[in-house]
Amino acid sequence: MKTPRHCYCFSGIITIYFSLLIHTLASPPLHPCLQDQREALLEFRDEFPVDDLDPSPWNKSSIDCCFWKGVKCDDRSGQVISLNLSDTFLNGSLKTNSSLFRLQYLRHLILSYCDLNGEIPSSLGNLSRLTLVELSHNDLVGAIPSSVGKLNQLRYLSLAANELTGQVPASIGNLNELQVMSLSQNTLNGTIPISLANLTKLYHISLRSNNFTSRLPSNMSVFHNLEHFDVAANSFHGSFPKSLFAISWLQVVYLEDNQFTGPIEFSSPCFSFSPKLEILYLARNKFDGPIPESISKFLNLQDLDLSRNSFRGPIPRSISKLDDLRHLDFAKNKLEGEVPSCLWNFPTVMLSHNFFGSFENPSEETLIQALDLNSNSFRGPFPHWICKNKGLSFLDLSNNLFNGSIPPCLRNSIDYLTDLILHNNSFSGSLPDIFSNATELRMIDVGLNHLEGKFPKSLINCKSLKFVNMENNKIKDKFPSWLGSLPSLIVLSLRSNEFYGTFYQRNVPIGFPRLCIIDLSHNDLSGILPPSYFSNWLGCTEIFDFTKMTPTDKMMLDTGDFRIRTPMEMVNKGVEMRYEQIEKDFGVINLAGNRFYGKIPESIGIWKELRLLNLSCNAFTNDIPRSLANLTNLETLDLSNNKLSGQIPQDLGKLSFLSYMNFSHNLLSGPVPRGTQFQSQNCSSFSDNLGLYGLEDICRENRVLDTTSQHPDESPEAKEQMFNWIAAAIAYGPGVLCGLVIGHIFASTNQEWFTEKFGLRKIRVLTSAR
Ligand SMILES: *[C@@H]1O[C@H](CO)[C@@H](O)[C@H](O)[C@H]1NC(C)=O
Ligand SMILES: *[C@@H]1O[C@H](CO)[C@@H](O)[C@H](O)[C@H]1NC(C)=O
Ligand SMILES: *[C@@H]1O[C@H](CO)[C@@H](O)[C@H](O)[C@H]1NC(C)=O
Ligand SMILES: *[C@@H]1O[C@H](CO)[C@@H](O)[C@H](O)[C@H]1NC(C)=O
Ligand SMILES: *[C@@H]1O[C@H](CO)[C@@H](O)[C@H](O)[C@H]1NC(C)=O
Ligand SMILES: *[C@@H]1O[C@H](CO)[C@@H](O)[C@H](O)[C@H]1NC(C)=O
Ligand SMILES: *[C@@H]1O[C@H](CO)[C@@H](O)[C@H](O)[C@H]1NC(C)=O
Ligand SMILES: *[C@@H]1O[C@H](CO)[C@@H](O)[C@H](O)[C@H]1NC(C)=O
Ligand SMILES: *[C@@H]1O[C@H](CO)[C@@H](O)[C@H](O)[C@H]1NC(C)=O
Ligand SMILES: *[C@@H]1O[C@H](CO)[C@@H](O)[C@H](O)[C@H]1NC(C)=O
Ligand SMILES: *[C@@H]1O[C@H](CO)[C@@H](O)[C@H](O)[C@H]1NC(C)=O
Ligand SMILES: *[C@@H]1O[C@H](CO)[C@@H](O)[C@H](O)[C@H]1NC(C)=O
């Protein structure tokens, strides 16, 4: 009889249960549980110090243990053959002399999610009839006991998601019947034993997220039943395991996040191809050379991720044969040439950070949903053919050499669009007013282009909008104060344009309920701000809690599986921001270089998370508000080049993070506050005022009193800070958003690992804390 094929490990178990069930039905006289087995179970229960052990009724007055929850007996003999306490709170360890090991007939032992701790006792090897051992998701430490090798009937072994250390014992090579082996998410290290090659019945191998440092076995085709092979997130090295791809059942291969090197190649006279291959992840290794034409032999491929390697050359045209491909990620390689048009029919195409120069235009309507061409050398007009695509959700053309206008026909593709990122190209003309149906739009970034004309009024319909960046263009319009009615807006940068008029209009609600970063610097805005102005902006009065991110978002950030795009970062640093780096709170107000006048609103003190405040080069008058001293996180304060008078509030001396400040070119007088931050400033930060004193320490020695003063927010420190904070905020904005787009695809293709790593573990942690 042919062995049934299994897609997932659990269907394997179900099959085993089925055969048991059929067996059971065929043998009528039911035997009650054996006395010694019942006692062993009761004693086993008492080994755990939990009062209300969940699988009731495990108690002395209940005679037939075969009916106890989680227990199954052989009906003819009454021997306990299966113990499944999965998701029972045991909160203890398995002792070497545990009564469990008296259940000599046990075939299935399932203690996953049981809050077990301590080591796996070597006496587990005494249960020689075991076919299934499932101990995943506990707190188990120490090494895998070599006695496991005595379980020579074992078909299924999962020790995933524990804290096991050391090497895999060579004795594992004795488990000739093993079909499923999951050791993922531990801290196992060293080499994988050569004897593993004995286990030719394996169809599922997962070693993901450990510290293995070895090469893979040289002849992978000995695993001729293999369907699922996952060694991602280790330090495996050596060349591409070509022999793997001759296995005819192979469906899923995860090699990402390792140290593999050299070219990849699938074809060879001796090898056939794995016709069932659906998922191939090679991301974040050190592969190089061309993407081989032979990749197109895997006709069932759905998900192909070659990102973050050093692949070179063009995309092979034969890729058009891969009709089922849903997700193609070639980002961060050294690919070049013309992108073939067949790619525009794959739902997700990620080509960012390569050297592509052009693309083939498709002849008909395309099916693409998410397209990322960021940071290549594409030139010429906006790809008009995108306008024929009704289902577009993500478009990033940033950091290329596109020119000409942004076509109004983009209106046809706007209904599902969440992110429109055209940053740092040479687009000119006006930004067309096409957003009335863009209800899903969360991010629009057209900064660093040559756009002119009016600000598109139809953006008022984009109720999901969180992030607007139009900086460094030549847009000439009245300040769009109606943006205040957008309920979700977090980041607004209109820096360096030609906006004019008043920012605040009497009788118009101020709005901006969630705004946290606003940069309107270097425009032509004017008017006064009423004292209560900032009390309307509540975005930065509460701290954004990164711990409340969804697992998907977090995973995306953790694994760097999408780039957290920040215009500043891309232009200036070209580095990626990692989750750790953005786990900061932020708040920026930059109104520098306009014509605001009157008193600085006292309500500024409400922005508890403000990090940067730049009001320089305006015409503000009166005293500096004392409430500034309440901005305890403030790092940069620039009030230079105004007409401020009176004293610098002494309490500002207490702001311990304030590392850059500038009060120069005002009408200030009185003593400069004491405090280390003030004392470490450059003398020029106080120059050209009416009568400031107490500057002796600050202006002593070789600190030059600089009366010419550089442009206030162009000073290197201020610039650097600005980049950092804008970057941080932006990272939060689109990062999370992109996560939803790409995260969805990722989660749906890599469900098992995703659940293992983030879903269940998380839920477990929460419930066991009851
Ligand atoms: C023990 O189990 C029996 C049978 O299910 C049940 O009726 C009884 O309430 C249980 N006793 C205790 C003390 O839990
Ligand atoms: C063990 O029991 C749990 C809950 O009762 C069930 O969901 C799971 O499928 C069982 N596991 C096996 C391997 O039968
Ligand atoms: C679990 O065990 C630990 C230590 O053995 C103990 O401190 C803790 O209170 C136990 N938790 C519960 C909920 O019983
Ligand atoms: C197991 O050994 C410990 C001492 O190491 C002892 O206290 C305990 O009673 C033993 N348990 C059984 C079930 O034999
Ligand atoms: C388990 O086997 C070991 C030998 O591997 C033996 O010393 C020990 O007594 C056995 N334990 C039980 C509980 O049978
Ligand atoms: C493996 O980890 C153990 C600690 O768990 C450590 O002592 C040992 O040096 C490590 N071996 C290798 C090869 O990294
Ligand atoms: C397992 O593999 C080792 C080393 O490759 C070999 O020496 C041994 O004979 C094999 N054992 C079995 C049972 O095939
Ligand atoms: C495992 O590897 C990771 C990354 O390679 C490293 O940070 C960690 O310290 C290693 N853990 C041990 C226990 O060696
Ligand atoms: C690899 O293993 C397969 C299956 O055991 C065998 O047919 C093939 O000859 C081996 N190839 C090499 C190069 O050893
Ligand atoms: C776009 O750039 C190309 C050169 O790359 C130039 O020939 C063309 O005139 C430009 N088009 C527009 C509309 O500026
Ligand atoms: C918006 O969508 C509706 C149908 O959903 C359509 O009738 C209308 O023409 C669209 N408006 C624009 C400006 O595209
Ligand atoms: C600073 O905040 C405190 C409470 O947080 C408030 O009582 C006080 O009035 C504020 N100071 C100024 C000058 O706004």
Side-chain angles (χ1 to χ4, degrees):
M1 206 178 84
K2 201 174 178 313
T3 332
R5 306 301 311 178
H6 316 296
C7 296
Y8 301 101
C9 45
F10 275 98
S11 58
I13 302 161
I14 289 164
T15 313
I16 295 167
Y17 270 131
F18 260 116
S19 44
L20 276 173
L21 191 65
I22 291 163
H23 184 71
T24 309
L25 290 175
S27 41
L30 295 185
H31 197 294
C33 89
L34 299 176
Q35 193 57 21
D36 66 316
Q37 306 259 298
R38 183 173 167 277
E39 273 162 21
L41 283 170
L42 285 172
E43 283 174 34
F44 178 62
R45 191 197 67 174
D46 290 342
E47 285 168 28
F48 297 95
V50 183
D51 299 337
D52 54 344
L53 193 63
D54 189 20
S56 58
W58 280 40
N59 69 38
K60 293 208 167 59
S61 51
S62 171
I63 304 296
D64 193 349
C65 71
C66 295
F67 293 98
W68 293 358
K69 192 176 166 194
V71 177
K72 281 201 175 70
C73 297
D74 181 300
D75 292 333
R76 286 174 304 172
S77 62
Q79 295 146 351
V80 174
I81 54 169
S82 172
L83 183 61
N84 179 358
L85 298 181
S86 180
D87 212 7
T88 302
F89 184 62
L90 294 179
N91 194 32
S93 61
L94 288 174
K95 320 277 184 300
T96 312
N97 60 358
S98 167
S99 314
L100 176 70
F101 302 116
R102 283 159 42 203
L103 300 172
Q104 279 297 319
Y105 302 93
L106 214 51
R107 291 179 212 165
H108 295 177
L109 177 62
I110 300 144
L111 299 175
S112 48
Y113 298 99
C114 285
D115 289 271
L116 284 174
N117 50 46
E119 301 195 2
I120 301 175
S122 65
S123 27
L124 181 68
N126 294 22
L127 296 175
S128 60
R129 292 180 176 86
L130 282 174
T131 59
L132 184 155
V133 170
E134 168 61 274
L135 298 178
S136 68
H137 299 270
N138 287 291
D139 291 319
L140 296 169
V141 297
I144 300 174
S146 72
S147 63
V148 163
K150 292 199 286 179
L151 304 175
N152 59 10
Q153 307 201 17
L154 206 59
R155 289 191 233 168
Y156 177 103
L157 175 64
S158 175
L159 306 176
N162 283 292
E163 290 168 22
L164 299 170
T165 51
Q167 306 210 4
V168 176
S171 62
I172 207 146
N174 296 328
L175 306 181
N176 290 318
E177 299 299 318
L178 203 61
Q179 296 176 2
V180 174
M181 176 174 77
S182 177
L183 306 179
S184 61
Q185 287 177 265
N186 283 288
T187 322
L188 299 168
N189 67 5
T191 61
I192 50 174
I194 302 167
S195 59
L196 198 70
N198 288 351
L199 310 185
T200 56
K201 292 187 178 167
L202 279 171
Y203 67 84
H204 179 115
I205 298 178
S206 180
L207 305 177
R208 176 182 284 266
S209 294
N210 278 288
N211 280 37
F212 291 110
T213 49
S214 59
R215 290 167 181 270
L216 295 176
S218 59
N219 188 358
M220 293 296 295
S221 45
V222 298
F223 299 110
H224 50 80
N225 287 305
L226 202 59
E227 291 173 4
H228 181 113
F229 185 66
D230 183 354
V231 296
N234 279 287
S235 297
F236 283 106
H237 60 271
S239 55
F240 183 66
K242 188 163 77 172
S243 55
L244 192 59
F245 297 88
I247 300 169
S248 56
W249 297 107
L250 195 69
Q251 280 180 11
V252 172
V253 174
Y254 296 114
L255 302 181
E256 76 270 21
D257 272 312
N258 278 294
Q259 308 286 328
F260 292 110
T261 49
I264 65 172
E265 186 49 76
F266 306 99
S267 74
S268 148
C270 336
F271 290 130
S272 56
F273 280 85
S274 311
K276 293 171 184 282
L277 191 68
E278 289 176 2
I279 297 176
L280 178 59
Y281 277 34
L282 306 182
R284 295 182 295 277
N285 278 289
K286 295 174 180 163
F287 290 120
D288 55 28
I291 299 175
E293 292 273 350
S294 51
I295 203 158
S296 60
K297 300 264 176 81
F298 302 111
L299 293 176
N300 286 307
L301 208 56
Q302 294 176 8
D303 206 331
L304 176 62
D305 187 348
L306 307 184
S307 65
R308 295 167 194 240
N309 282 288
S310 295
F311 291 112
R312 314 177 166 271
I315 297 178
R317 301 216 155 234
S318 58
I319 211 155
S320 63
K321 293 181 191 152
L322 301 180
D323 284 341
D324 290 344
L325 208 58
R326 290 179 298 158
H327 179 202
L328 176 149
D329 191 346
F330 291 171
K332 296 213 167 169
N333 279 290
K334 295 173 178 162
L335 299 166
E336 60 190 14
E338 188 181 48
V339 180
S341 62
C342 59
L343 259 62
W344 313 143
N345 279 329
F346 302 143
T348 314
V349 176
M350 303 285 153
L351 300 178
S352 77
H353 296 88
N354 279 289
F355 304 129
F356 293 113
S358 60
F359 47 76
E360 219 173 46
N361 287 319
S363 49
E364 46 198 57
E365 201 173 310
T366 63
L367 300 172
I368 199 157
Q369 289 165 17
L371 174 61
D372 186 355
L373 303 181
N374 169 23
S375 295
N376 279 282
S377 304
F378 292 106
R379 55 178 69 238
F382 185 96
H384 277 73
W385 49 266
I386 284 176
C387 297
K388 289 194 194 141
N389 187 324
K390 301 262 184 293
L392 195 68
S393 72
F394 179 93
L395 180 64
D396 186 348
L397 306 181
S398 61
N399 300 308
N400 281 291
L401 302 163
F402 287 110
N403 69 356
S405 60
I406 299 170
C409 68
L410 190 59
R411 155 184 301 138
N412 303 330
S413 310
I414 216 110
D415 288 13
Y416 301 102
L417 199 63
T418 59
D419 300 68
L420 177 63
I421 308 166
L422 308 178
H423 193 93
N424 192 23
N425 280 286
S426 294
F427 288 117
S428 56
S430 61
L431 181 60
D433 201 4
I434 54 174
F435 300 97
S436 37
N437 277 355
T439 49
E440 308 285 319
L441 196 66
R442 288 179 288 200
M443 173 175 192
I444 177 166
D445 184 350
V446 296
L448 264 177
N449 279 289
H450 308 302
L451 298 171
E452 51 196 27
K454 301 281 186 201
F455 187 91
K457 288 208 165 47
S458 54
L459 281 174
I460 188 110
N461 299 302
C462 305
K463 298 295 182 210
S464 312
L465 209 53
K466 293 190 172 181
F467 178 98
V468 173
N469 184 10
M470 303 206 173
E471 66 191 29
N472 290 292
N473 280 290
K474 287 179 275 179
I475 299 171
K476 187 166 191 164
D477 202 346
K478 275 195 197 141
F479 175 73
S481 49
W482 46 264
L483 284 172
S485 69
L486 294 178
S488 313
L489 195 64
I490 297 172
V491 178
L492 173 62
S493 178
L494 304 179
R495 181 191 175 94
S496 296
N497 276 285
E498 295 169 26
F499 286 97
Y500 59 88
T502 55
F503 174 38
Y504 163 73
Q505 284 152 10
R506 217 181 285 267
N507 304 326
V508 176
I510 293 167
F512 295 114
R514 294 196 54 199
L515 200 62
C516 226
I517 300 245
I518 181 163
D519 188 345
L520 305 178
S521 62
H522 308 295
N523 279 287
D524 198 17
L525 300 166
S526 62
I528 59 154
L529 302 174
S532 65
Y533 189 84
F534 292 105
S535 43
N536 288 277
W537 297 1
L538 296 176
C540 258
T541 54
E542 58 185 281
I543 301 168
F544 180 78
D545 188 354
F546 277 91
T547 61
K548 289 192 185 135
M549 289 174 83
T550 69
T552 318
D553 294 340
K554 256 193 179 157
M555 179 177 70
M556 293 300 118
L557 288 168
D558 280 350
T559 61
D561 242 54
F562 63 90
R563 296 139 305 281
I564 299 157
R565 267 167 277 256
T566 83
M568 299 301 178
E569 160 223 318
M570 291 187 302
V571 176
N572 295 289
K573 302 214 173 121
V575 293
E576 281 156 48
M577 299 232 321
R578 296 301 303 254
Y579 174 53
E580 298 79 45
Q581 289 167 275
I582 62 166
E583 200 169 356
K584 294 171 178 167
D585 319 301
F586 44 80
V588 170
I589 298 177
N590 188 354
L591 305 180
N594 282 288
R595 294 190 288 125
F596 291 111
Y597 57 90
K599 192 168 163 35
I600 298 171
E602 190 75 29
S603 57
I604 190 81
I606 203 170
W607 271 49
K608 294 278 189 282
E609 289 306 321
L610 200 62
R611 303 300 170 111
L612 183 148
L613 177 62
N614 189 346
L615 304 178
S616 67
C617 296
N618 278 288
F620 286 110
T621 52
N622 302 74
D623 292 355
I624 296 172
R626 293 186 53 199
S627 65
L628 284 185
N630 271 3
L631 301 175
T632 49
N633 290 313
L634 201 61
E635 299 182 11
T636 298
L637 174 63
D638 193 341
L639 302 178
S640 66
N641 289 280
N642 279 290
K643 294 174 186 161
L644 298 165
S645 56
Q647 298 193 359
I648 299 175
Q650 293 298 306
D651 286 349
L652 291 186
K654 294 180 194 153
L655 295 179
S656 53
F657 295 118
L658 191 55
S659 56
Y660 176 83
M661 57 186 103
N662 194 344
F663 297 95
S664 66
H665 308 285
N666 276 294
L667 307 169
L668 297 165
S669 58
V672 168
R674 312 295 301 172
T676 40
Q677 300 304 339
F678 271 82
Q679 298 304 309
S680 62
Q681 292 305 305
N682 202 306
C683 185
S684 61
S685 293
F686 304 94
S687 65
D688 188 21
N689 274 292
L690 265 188
L692 283 178
Y693 59 87
L695 285 161
E696 297 76 12
D697 290 347
I698 298 171
C699 293
R700 200 192 298 142
E701 294 166 13
N702 45 15
R703 285 175 174 163
V704 188
L705 192 92
D706 174 10
T707 43
T708 55
S709 178
Q710 32 190 185
H711 199 289
D713 76 336
E714 301 299 320
S715 77
E717 304 96 301
K719 214 168 180 177
E720 178 69 13
Q721 289 241 359
M722 190 68 195
F723 289 153
N724 288 345
W725 293 120
I726 293 262
I730 291 168
Y732 157 60
V736 174
L737 309 182
C738 303
L740 300 177
V741 177
I742 302 165
H744 172 70
I745 294 154
F746 190 81
S748 61
T749 55
N750 198 358
Q751 193 77 48
E752 189 199 0
W753 173 73
F754 171 76
T755 318
E756 230 181 27
K757 182 157 179 160
F758 289 96
L760 302 179
R761 179 91 187 172
K762 183 121 192 142
I763 291 160
R764 185 62 205 161
V765 167
L766 292 177
T767 53
S768 66
R770 64 194 154 205

